[in-house]
Amino acid sequence: MRSMGFWRRCCYAIVLLSATRVAAAQDTPQFDAITVRPHDKNDPSQDGGIHWAGLVFEAKNVPLTFLMVQAFGVKKWLIAGLPAWAEKTTWDVNAKVSEGDLKLMQNMTREQRSRMLQAVLAEQFQLRYHYELRVEPVYELAVLPGGPKFKPTPSVAHGSGWTFTQGLVKVEAITMAQFVNGLSPLVERVVVDKTSLAGMYDMELHWTPEASSASNTDNGLPEAATPGIYTALREQLGVKLTSAKAPVPVLVVDKMEQPEAN
């Protein structure tokens, strides 16, 4: 059983994060004009994504969960209480700041962009929310008895970098905390580091995603040569994922309204 100290540390982390965001909000640009519309289902391209450029933020054909992930840095499966319509509709967003804020926009941090998107969700979708700790299924990542099959990053200084996509993980100079954070969306659970490995590492992992097709599994190797991700972790990296449960912060939607096109 988890100690009360663990729960207190999780609660403290949530409070500290909220306080940090409030303190920095005054340095964040504000959108002067925001347009939100349901995406046209007759659009032949059906491409989707977000884009920041100059004074403008644009989103095309994105679900609300995608915008919330970008705004709050929360994993998609750790958002609770969404209304049914939010799961079915995708949206186009066009938002612009005044020219006087151009310099701020050019030097924005990821946190500032997140706060700007939070403001869009609050204003346009009337989003109200809170965080709470819930005991959820997680994976614990541990080293197999034979030891890890990856090496520490060489002492020669070089930049860090990582790729986490379906079918391929390729990382350089990454900590295990960063590794489990990147691995988490690929297995759709929080991954807890139980390896006790310090320092930085270089790793490469190939696998065949479940329900994959030739069009979306090009990970550099023939599909028949790559196993599933759980087997690949054991065979290629010498680590394993074990199911467990732990308290994790969940973003709970208290209120959300479907806006009319504007």
Side-chain angles (χ1 to χ4, degrees), residues 164-175:
F164 287 94
T165 62
Q166 285 294 337
L168 172 66
V169 168
K170 188 173 184 179
V171 299
E172 294 180 337
I174 194 172
T175 65

Side-chain angles (χ1 to χ4, degrees), residues 4-5 7 9 11 18 21 29 51-52 57 60 68 77 95 103 120 125 166 187 200-201 205 214 221 237 260:
M4 288 302 296
W7 285 80
R9 288 193 298 273
C11 291
S18 298
R21 286 175 172 167
H51 180 62
W52 296 83
F57 166 78
K60 180 181 179 182
M68 293 177 73
W77 62 93
K103 187 173 181 180
V120 171
F125 294 90
Q166 285 294 337
V187 295
M200 296 186 173
Y201 298 88
L205 180 72
L221 292 175
L237 298 184
E260 297 181 1

Side-chain angles (χ1 to χ4, degrees), residues 32-88:
D32 289 333
I34 304 173
T35 301
V36 175
R37 294 188 178 92
H39 182 69
D40 182 2
K41 295 182 179 180
N42 296 318
D43 179 3
S45 71
Q46 292 301 318
D47 292 334
I50 65 173
H51 180 62
W52 296 83
L55 299 169
V56 177
F57 166 78
E58 292 182 310
K60 180 181 179 182
N61 194 23
V62 296
L64 271 178
T65 50
F66 182 84
L67 288 176
M68 293 177 73
V69 167
Q70 300 299 315
F72 295 98
V74 65
K75 303 294 190 292
K76 181 175 66 174
W77 62 93
L78 295 178
I79 301 172
L82 284 170
W85 60 263
E87 305 278 7
K88 299 176 181 178

Side-chain angles (χ1 to χ4, degrees), residues 111-129:
E111 279 294 315
Q112 289 174 313
R113 290 184 178 185
S114 295
R115 287 192 293 272
M116 293 180 74
L117 292 184
Q118 289 172 26
V120 171
L121 291 167
E123 178 180 335
Q124 299 294 314
F125 294 90
Q126 302 303 304
L127 174 64
R128 303 293 183 269
Y129 65 94

